[in-house]
Amino acid sequence: MEGSLKGRNPWRTRVSAIMCSLLLVGLLAGCGDTSSKDGEAAKQASSNTSSSEVAPAGQQNGTPSERTITDELGNEVKLPTEVKSVFAPNMEDSLVAIGVKPVAQWSNGKLGHFYLQDQLKDVPMIDLSGGLPSPEVLMSHNPDLIILHTESYAKDGTYENYAKIAPTYVFKNAAGNIEKSLVTLGDLLGKSNEADQAVQNYKQKVSDAKEKLSSVVGDKKVAVIRFAPRGVSLMGGQYFCGYALHQDLGLGMSKLVENKTAANLSLEILPELDADFIFVINAYDQGTERMTEMMASDIWKSMPAVKNGHVYEVNNHHWLGSGLVAYEKIIDDTVRLLTSK
């Protein structure tokens, strides 16, 4: 090693050392600059992820976010993130159709929606025969969403009082279009898929029923007579069973109730009833006296539908119901009774 050093130029050695030092400094500076750029890029990437990929507040881990919507009367309703307890009197049928139990259910005295009690037997009843429950009664059930099926329910300060208890959504008339109101209900309660499926199933049932009835009924007319303690009425095609028969199944109706919700019926008017098939409802089993009286009359017995044996007493529970659950039962009854002969 000593022999090899003797021949070297000391100035060259010193210059080489200086060049190496300068080169090392440059490399270190370059590394620092690269690290700085990498850091800025990482920050930028992080910023981009935060603005476009991270779910907004209330939607972390797939949970729904709180939202504000407008009901059919123009009221702004701030829906809770998740509805756990709903009060929707007279919409129990639609709630059952999408698998939801309310915190309380409608009743008329002690008479509720009997055809729904398999699903609602544990749900307390609230008597609405004298009107909607007071705020104090409703508060005891602790709803986090209130849904009123008709604008008449929201009058006289009821909406304002209820809205202080929980967010309150009001339909103008949910019974006027059951399928549409069911879809809205599904959206309010986070059950849109269930509502869409229920509507699809119902439409299929209607289609199947129309095919079965076409050869039996054709263009013949169908009437529904409701016997109650206060009188006898011919039901139109806007609500309850009349909606299912006339609007959905497309069965013809008497001229006495064209474009009407209902019409009073008496022995004097009975000869004008143009119907080939008659369904009879004894409302809550309280119209027996009036039904017996009319059916014993010669006028009744002379009617073509009566002579041909085309009068059918039907279950007053679901025939006076409003919703797809009731309508499906009504359609089943109609097909069974009209195609059995």
Side-chain angles (χ1 to χ4, degrees):
M1 291 292 292
E2 288 182 5
S4 64
L5 289 174
K6 284 182 180 180
R8 289 189 174 182
N9 187 324
W11 290 103
R12 183 179 295 177
T13 302
R14 185 177 297 175
V15 170
S16 298
I18 292 171
M19 292 298 293
C20 288
S21 297
L22 290 174
L23 181 59
L24 180 60
V25 170
L27 288 172
L28 291 173
C31 290
D33 185 58
T34 301
S35 298
S36 176
K37 290 180 179 178
D38 289 346
E40 290 300 321
K43 289 180 181 178
Q44 183 64 36
S46 175
S47 174
N48 291 340
T49 300
S50 298
S51 62
S52 64
E53 295 181 9
V54 176
Q59 288 187 331
Q60 299 286 352
N61 300 322
T63 58
S65 62
E66 191 177 72
R67 57 195 173 108
T68 300
I69 62 173
T70 303
D71 71 11
E72 293 187 359
L73 297 190
N75 303 306
E76 285 195 351
V77 184
K78 193 172 185 179
L79 293 175
T81 301
E82 182 181 0
V83 179
K84 296 182 179 179
S85 53
V86 60
F87 177 62
N90 269 317
M91 294 195 75
E92 289 83 359
D93 186 301
S94 292
L95 291 176
V96 167
I98 58 175
V100 174
K101 277 189 178 183
V103 293
Q105 61 175 311
W106 169 94
S107 72
N108 181 9
K110 295 181 179 180
L111 304 174
H113 299 292
F114 288 107
Y115 71 98
L116 298 174
Q117 292 316 299
D118 285 347
Q119 295 85 3
L120 302 179
K121 60 183 178 182
D122 299 324
V123 177
M125 291 185 178
I126 295 183
D127 181 10
L128 272 73
S129 59
L132 287 167
S134 67
E136 292 75 18
V137 170
L138 187 53
M139 285 178 66
S140 69
H141 294 283
N142 196 31
D144 53 27
L145 179 62
I146 300 168
I147 301 174
L148 303 180
H149 87 293
T150 173
E151 60 183 327
S152 65
Y153 272 15
K155 293 181 178 179
D156 302 323
T158 298
Y159 174 82
E160 290 75 13
N161 290 331
Y162 280 12
K164 294 175 183 177
I165 300 172
T168 303
Y169 184 98
V170 186
F171 287 93
K172 284 188 176 181
N173 176 21
N177 189 326
I178 291 296
E179 294 175 26
K180 179 183 176 182
S181 61
L182 179 62
V183 170
T184 300
L185 191 66
D187 178 59
L188 295 174
L189 302 177
K191 295 284 187 177
S192 292
N193 291 339
E194 290 83 350
D196 290 342
Q197 187 62 55
V199 170
Q200 182 179 336
N201 292 344
Y202 179 68
K203 287 183 176 179
Q204 185 61 54
K205 178 176 281 288
V206 169
S207 178
D208 293 342
K210 282 183 174 181
E211 185 176 348
K212 293 175 182 177
L213 291 170
S214 62
S215 61
V216 177
V217 181
D219 59 356
K220 295 178 181 178
K221 295 182 179 181
V222 173
V224 181
I225 301 176
R226 178 179 182 268
F227 293 92
R230 295 182 181 180
V232 183
S233 59
L234 185 64
M235 300 186 70
Q238 298 179 21
Y239 302 103
F240 307 114
C241 53
Y243 190 97
L245 294 178
H246 302 303
Q247 298 290 343
D248 291 338
L249 292 179
L251 301 179
M253 71 173 70
S254 168
K255 63 180 183 295
L256 294 175
V257 284
E258 288 179 349
N259 303 316
K260 293 182 180 180
T261 302
N264 292 328
L265 193 63
S266 63
L267 286 174
E268 291 74 21
I269 300 175
L270 197 57
E272 300 177 30
L273 178 58
D274 50 332
D276 302 280
F277 302 93
I278 298 175
F279 294 105
V280 173
I281 301 174
N282 184 355
Y284 303 109
D285 299 320
Q286 295 176 352
T288 304
E289 183 178 348
R290 291 181 180 276
M291 187 168 69
T292 301
E293 179 184 357
M294 181 170 283
M295 289 184 172
S297 69
D298 291 335
I299 297 176
W300 175 270
K301 294 176 181 178
S302 66
M303 295 175 65
V306 177
K307 288 183 176 180
N308 294 328
H310 292 164
V311 178
Y312 314 95
E313 184 174 355
V314 292
N315 187 304
N316 68 87
H317 296 159
H318 57 263
W319 275 70
L320 293 177
S322 180
L324 297 192
V325 177
Y327 290 0
E328 288 191 356
K329 292 178 181 292
I330 291 166
I331 289 172
D332 287 340
D333 288 347
T334 303
V335 172
R336 174 177 53 83
L337 292 171
L338 298 190
T339 61
S340 61
K341 295 183 180 180

